[in-house]
Amino acid sequence: MQEDVPKLDPQATRCPIPIVGYDRILMAHGGGGRLTHQLLEKVFIPAFGNPLLNARHDGALLDVGGVRLAFSTDSYVIHPLFFPGGDIGSLAVNGTVNDLAMCGARPLYLSAGFILEEGLPIEVLQRIAASMQAAAREAGVQLVTGDTKVVEKGKGDGLFINTAGIGLVDSGREIQPSRVKPGDVIVLSGDIGRHGVAIMAAREGLAFQTTLTSDCAPLAAPVQSLLLSGLDVHCLRDLTRGGLASALVEIAESSQTGMVIDESCIPLDDQVRGACEMLGLDPLYVANEGRFVTLVAPQDASQAVRILQQHSAGRGALIIGRVESGPPGSVVQMNRLGTRRLIERLSGEQLPRIC
Amino acid sequence: MQEDVPKLDPQATRCPIPIVGYDRILMAHGGGGRLTHQLLEKVFIPAFGNPLLNARHDGALLDVGGVRLAFSTDSYVIHPLFFPGGDIGSLAVNGTVNDLAMCGARPLYLSAGFILEEGLPIEVLQRIAASMQAAAREAGVQLVTGDTKVVEKGKGDGLFINTAGIGLVDSGREIQPSRVKPGDVIVLSGDIGRHGVAIMAAREGLAFQTTLTSDCAPLAAPVQSLLLSGLDVHCLRDLTRGGLASALVEIAESSQTGMVIDESCIPLDDQVRGACEMLGLDPLYVANEGRFVTLVAPQDASQAVRILQQHSAGRGALIIGRVESGPPGSVVQMNRLGTRRLIERLSGEQLPRIC
């Protein structure tokens, strides 16, 4: 990595596109990028705003009866229901398990809410339930409560699943964007973009075929190894909607720091690279379901990489950048040719319904 | 209530309709009646079956780090989004608050997952978020974590909401169907059927109009009053999908007891009675969103009624029946004319998408 990063004008990190002006929901409001952020800022935070929600973490950290819990939820609307490397059921378990893990919690219990479209073959539901149970067993969690609703044909799309999860956080542990500070090292757990590209390949009408499979996997085990090692882990974030780029921008904004990453360090499968080039996608923004970043104190970075590499989901772990003092909220990528690129939140929608 | 109840043939409580034979999801699978039960028995329990899920309560009772928690979830697909007496937002808060309350828990925290259909006016989302916040404040809970997904126009229906909730259960408290025993008295918290009839009236194309409003309300306060009074409360159940009838059948089946209720005791608003007569609905099966039954030791029944009557949601509380030794799973209604009717689970779908 180069050491000299230009001081950017803080104004330049602001969104040049007006963030008001839409009066109806667009697909991009669900894409995890700028419009999702706007919905949070303009609708949900003003309505529900409270310190717990304002922390903008992957889940809420709660004190319940003297015990520290993480609590998180996600709805899954992925299309198609089955894809190379997983299905909506394994995704619904791993996604919420991973959100809990990113809070520094040991995931314990999940709920599952199903919204079924009239006409869904019951055999499909059975396969997905079996997949959820297998994923839950692998991740070490139990599905303990649930609900089923049915909507008329044409008012849903086969099957949507919501999962919410509860995890236990060891006392004294603080995994929060607010703990990120200049000097921290950014560790990435492996190659990026496989989930999003595998979903595209699985959809009808795409002009390419790959042998790629989604990276969908539970991340609780590598994260627990990191935490139990005693390393000073400041923040964790999985790279779902909006990809690596959006995750880093969110952390930089929440922690009011700047970040620098080195493009040449970021691992890409050749098929992901090829598909992204062909389709005009930026792999930095493509969703993953089994990848995350860890921000650690500089003296702990090498050890963090070694610990992650002992897990299948962290086999390709490596250092990709570091945290700087500013400008607050900026993420800069040092490119192969020595140029610098300011990374922004995903604008618009790269791949709809990838989770 | 009459004291002499005939001993029924246990065989007669079995479902006379084959419970297999459907290979696709029908609207009735979401109705809270026999097909919902079948889906649970044939798909979810075999896949996820564990002791916590098998308890068949409104939520799961968990021990996390030495603290007893209740955990529950529901998805809300009600149509229309706004109805007399509430909207999908207040319903999504109260519904999950009430499920926690029925576990004997003090509701504390909710998650919210939104599935939006492309084209939904953002102003509608803002109104619903504001309604959720108002309902959360009234019920004394906080919305602490959430998620938003968007699906294409025609793949959803405006807005679906999932909420999951966490509540704290005092140590030593056991509110479970398994605690119900012969001699227990059944206390109903007020008149039934207003939610379902109000929704029907709000839908387009119905041939009647009423001034009815939904009974949608948080039940945590009356339940906490009951529990803190020291009365021996054995079981609580709110009367949502499938109505009073399905709630009693479920408890009777889980507790392997029989029940007798007196039709003449069950309060009905005149407009509910009229609408049900006109539409051929049985109010015993119509959904409520602010009514529940309490099963208490006989010596505590009168006091339970007095406590509930001090709360707006329990103003009309009264004793409607009692638990007998059998036949297991049977619920018998003593009718006004002195005849007896065996109450069964809702078969088919009375009112689709009422929650």
Side-chain angles (χ1 to χ4, degrees), chain B residues 209-268:
Chain B
Q209 285 200 317
T210 73
T211 58
L212 270 180
T213 56
S214 165
D215 50 61
C216 182
L219 300 173
V223 166
Q224 283 297 306
S225 287
L226 269 183
L227 299 178
L228 295 174
S229 69
L231 298 186
D232 190 10
V233 177
H234 293 162
C235 189
L236 298 158
R237 187 64 57 103
D238 55 349
L239 312 178
T240 54
R241 284 185 293 182
L244 174 63
S246 301
L248 293 180
V249 170
E250 279 175 19
I251 297 173
E253 287 185 356
S254 299
S255 61
Q256 289 289 292
T257 61
M259 293 184 189
V260 186
I261 58 172
D262 186 341
E263 184 191 22
S264 65
C265 297
I266 296 170
L268 280 185

Side-chain angles (χ1 to χ4, degrees), chain A residues 22-31 36 38-39 42-44 47-53 57-60 62-67 69-77 108-123 125-126 128-130 132-133 137 142-157 160-168 241 352-353 355, chain B residues 22-31 36 38-39 42-44 47-53 57-60 62-67 69-77 108-123 125-126 128-130 132-133 137 142-157 160-168 241 352-353 355:
Chain A
Y22 300 109
D23 63 354
R24 288 183 178 267
I25 292 294
L26 309 176
M27 288 306 293
H29 280 112
T36 305
Q38 178 183 329
L39 212 54
K42 299 281 176 187
V43 177
F44 295 119
F48 305 148
N50 63 52
L52 294 163
L53 193 65
H57 209 359
D58 275 343
L62 309 174
D63 183 311
V64 181
V67 168
L69 301 180
F71 182 33
S72 188
T73 192
D74 265 322
S75 297
Y76 300 86
V77 299
L108 295 175
Y109 298 110
L110 297 189
S111 66
F114 296 86
I115 299 177
L116 311 178
E117 184 189 16
E118 185 183 19
L120 178 78
I122 289 178
E123 174 267 333
L125 187 60
Q126 283 172 319
I128 287 168
M132 291 180 80
Q133 177 62 11
R137 193 173 292 129
Q142 280 188 286
L143 287 151
V144 293
T145 191
D147 173 59
T148 306
K149 294 292 188 314
V150 181
V151 296
E152 299 86 348
K153 198 157 183 62
K155 301 294 185 182
D157 195 16
F160 303 140
I161 302 178
N162 174 284
T163 52
I166 296 176
L168 192 57
R241 283 184 294 182
R353 296 181 60 187
C355 62
Chain B
Y22 300 108
D23 64 353
R24 287 183 179 266
I25 292 293
L26 310 175
M27 288 305 293
H29 280 113
T36 304
Q38 177 185 329
L39 211 54
K42 298 280 175 186
V43 178
F44 294 119
F48 305 148
N50 63 50
L52 294 164
L53 194 66
H57 209 357
D58 276 341
L62 310 173
D63 185 312
V64 181
V67 168
L69 300 181
F71 182 33
S72 187
T73 192
D74 265 322
S75 296
Y76 299 87
V77 299
L108 294 175
Y109 299 109
L110 297 189
S111 66
F114 296 85
I115 299 177
L116 311 179
E117 184 190 13
E118 187 183 18
L120 178 76
I122 290 179
E123 174 267 334
L125 186 61
Q126 283 173 318
I128 286 167
M132 292 180 80
Q133 178 62 9
R137 194 172 291 129
Q142 280 187 284
L143 288 151
V144 293
T145 190
D147 173 58
T148 306
K149 295 292 190 313
V150 180
V151 295
E152 299 86 348
K153 198 156 183 64
K155 301 293 185 183
D157 195 14
F160 303 141
I161 302 178
N162 175 284
T163 52
I166 297 177
L168 193 58
R241 284 185 293 182
R353 295 180 62 187
C355 61

